[in-house]
Amino acid sequence: GRQRRRQRRRGRRRLGRGRVVAAAGRAGPPHGGPMLQRLKRSVGEFASKVTQQTQEPPAVEIFKRLWRNVREEHQRLVQSPSIDLDDPALLPRLKLLEDLENMVSLLIREDLGLIKDSNAGPDGRRGFRELPDGGFSHGPLKACLEYMLENRVFSDLCAMGLADRPNGMMSHILITIHRIVDKLRHPLLP
């Protein structure tokens, strides 16, 4: 009687070799045992793999990849003798237009400060800074915009648009350039 009451108060009683029986009568190892430890380790490994896979590369690397895709696809189209560049249904089927759109979206998100890995000024601020004389100075360029200006993306886009190959490319390039100039707060022209 008395011994059982003590065991119930403790909620467990010991059997042999470190195994514990709960008051309900289920047996199990004292601290989870090797099976539970393996399960914890497996879950931890899975969680670390998932977080590694979900980490995106820096925005400027994505921008570079998109621009490289645009250039390569355009060059492949123009140089391929088997593709009819006057086909009106050709351009809407291309991934090139989606990549141009993604480039513009990336530039806009970067300009709005929605991307954390872009360049910031020495004071950590972005964009306009007030000067002592009451004027404004523009902060340093963001990473994607800086890449775009340093690598002549505008002039290459204009060359693609002027060639208008495939047919209709000029209108898409003009729309892209208009969106960039219109949406960015950082002035591109002095």
Side-chain angles (χ1 to χ4, degrees):
R2 202 179 298 166
Q3 191 177 15
R4 280 191 181 193
R5 278 184 254 141
R6 284 184 196 158
Q7 287 173 351
R8 282 187 196 139
R9 277 188 222 136
R10 290 185 192 143
R12 300 177 187 199
R13 64 178 171 206
R14 292 214 176 262
L15 294 176
R17 304 169 99 209
R19 294 176 58 84
V20 175
V21 175
R26 290 182 290 161
H31 299 288
M35 188 175 223
L36 186 58
Q37 295 300 325
R38 276 185 282 171
L39 178 63
K40 287 179 182 179
R41 188 173 49 246
S42 297
V43 169
E45 289 171 2
F46 176 73
S48 68
K49 286 180 184 177
V50 168
T51 55
Q52 287 174 356
Q53 291 174 354
T54 57
Q55 291 175 347
E56 288 188 18
V60 70
E61 294 303 320
I62 296 171
F63 189 84
K64 288 177 185 179
R65 187 190 70 227
L66 290 169
W67 176 237
R68 185 176 52 247
N69 292 347
V70 167
R71 280 193 333 242
E72 289 172 358
E73 187 171 10
H74 185 262
Q75 190 174 36
R76 182 185 57 81
L77 284 169
V78 172
Q79 292 177 350
S80 176
S82 63
I83 296 177
D84 179 20
L85 296 176
D86 292 324
D87 180 12
L90 175 66
L91 207 52
R93 294 190 315 242
L94 299 178
K95 188 172 181 327
L96 181 141
L97 298 180
E98 181 183 334
D99 287 343
L100 282 173
E101 180 67 30
N102 289 337
M103 286 173 60
V104 172
S105 296
L106 198 57
L107 284 167
I108 292 170
R109 287 179 39 223
E110 180 186 56
D111 190 55
L112 294 174
L114 301 175
I115 298 175
K116 295 180 183 176
D117 64 348
S118 293
N119 296 339
D123 57 358
R125 294 175 42 197
R126 294 185 170 102
F128 296 104
R129 289 192 306 258
E130 192 166 355
L131 297 175
D133 65 354
F136 287 94
S137 167
H138 302 291
L141 295 176
K142 310 292 195 288
C144 295
L145 183 59
E146 183 176 0
Y147 174 83
M148 191 170 132
L149 294 174
E150 286 179 357
N151 292 285
R152 300 181 30 201
V153 173
F154 268 127
S155 61
D156 290 349
L157 281 173
C158 290
M160 285 180 197
L162 283 173
D164 201 24
R165 304 306 285 166
N167 197 15
M169 188 70 174
M170 182 184 288
S171 64
H172 289 286
I173 296 295
L174 287 173
I175 290 169
T176 300
I177 291 174
H178 177 266
R179 284 192 63 215
I180 291 171
V181 171
D182 185 47
K183 300 291 183 188
L184 296 184
R185 294 179 294 180
H186 203 291
L188 299 175
L189 302 173

